[in-house]
Amino acid sequence: MALLPILTYPDARLHKVAQPVRAVDARLRALIDDMFDTMYEAKGIGLAATQVDVHEQLIVIDVSEQRDERLVLINPELVWASDERVKGDEGCLSVPGIYDGVERPAAVRVRALDEHGQSREIAAEDLLAVCIQHEMDHLKGKVFVEYLSPLKQGRIKTKLLKAEREAARETAERD
Ligand code: GNR
Ligand code: NI
């Protein structure tokens, strides 16, 4: 088991565009395991490789209550999105403590490779649809706060930078 550090907003690396995965091999499966460990430890429902500073098109998800329904999406492509939109509160492991409403298509279909390199098509609605779209945004370098007003984005940046400075100061005082 290995936990990976999660990048926090505002960090320029969260805006890098992920490249396609070239081979679903042992290296990738080790990364997938570490990403699930990291996601479960952080109590998240999804994690994109971008958030752990790996800029490849890889997403891990588990929206189940029991935390036992792993979903791996490699090189995901959106094949369909509903015209119907829904607005729901979102949060992000890279934007700790911030929750706000984002409007997105209510349902999507996505084609992706699984951890065995098999191509699959996934139909999603409700929380899974939200999570898949939130994670695919990460791979494009987009964080959910970019859907909010510039005023809110500025406030979120200030708040998180202040929290980061205070955490660094506490570490310095302890050592
Ligand atoms: O854990 C998470 N919860 C969540 C809630 C509502 C909408 C999206 C999400 S994804 C988030 C984990 C995360 O940051 N993934 O990138
Ligand atoms: Ni996120």
Side-chain angles (χ1 to χ4, degrees):
M1 152 136 180
L3 299 179
L4 306 170
I6 298 175
L7 299 177
T8 52
Y9 181 86
D11 184 313
R13 294 170 289 180
L14 284 171
H15 304 299
K16 287 194 181 184
V17 176
Q19 299 303 305
V21 166
R22 295 172 63 102
V24 182
D25 54 12
R27 176 200 70 99
L28 198 79
R29 279 186 285 269
L31 175 60
I32 290 166
D33 281 347
D34 291 347
M35 284 177 59
F36 272 117
D37 290 343
T38 303
M39 183 196 80
Y40 286 127
E41 171 74 16
K43 300 188 165 24
I45 58 169
L47 187 70
T50 306
Q51 294 176 277
V52 294
D53 203 21
V54 175
H55 302 281
E56 296 177 46
Q57 294 174 16
L58 168 62
I59 291 165
V60 301
I61 289 176
D62 188 344
V63 296
S64 73
E65 290 280 322
Q66 304 293 325
R67 317 292 281 152
D68 60 357
E69 289 173 36
R70 292 174 173 227
L71 180 63
V72 176
L73 303 180
I74 298 163
N75 300 343
E77 289 173 65
L78 188 72
V79 296
W80 175 81
S82 62
D83 290 331
E84 192 201 340
R85 316 250 143 183
V86 282
K87 189 168 185 174
D89 261 6
E90 297 196 16
C92 181
L93 295 174
S94 295
V95 194
I98 307 290
Y99 302 88
D100 212 330
V102 175
E103 192 182 294
R104 298 185 187 272
V108 292
R109 293 185 72 88
V110 171
R111 175 166 292 285
L113 302 180
D114 66 14
E115 65 269 48
H116 309 293
Q118 286 272 105
S119 182
R120 305 178 41 187
E121 197 170 299
I122 293 133
E125 52 184 28
D126 304 319
L127 185 59
L128 181 59
V130 174
C131 188
I132 288 175
Q133 293 177 79
H134 175 115
E135 305 310 339
M136 288 180 69
D137 275 349
H138 275 303
L139 299 183
K140 294 178 213 142
K142 185 156 183 171
V143 180
F144 87 95
V145 300
E146 292 172 65
Y147 292 104
L148 308 178
S149 69
L151 177 66
K152 280 187 179 177
Q153 288 180 49
R155 285 177 179 158
I156 292 165
K157 270 182 201 162
T158 304
K159 184 176 175 182
L160 293 181
L161 286 172
K162 184 159 169 270
E164 220 166 273
R165 274 201 308 276
E166 278 166 10
R169 190 167 53 76
E170 272 159 30
T171 308
E173 277 170 12
R174 197 198 56 215
D175 294 344

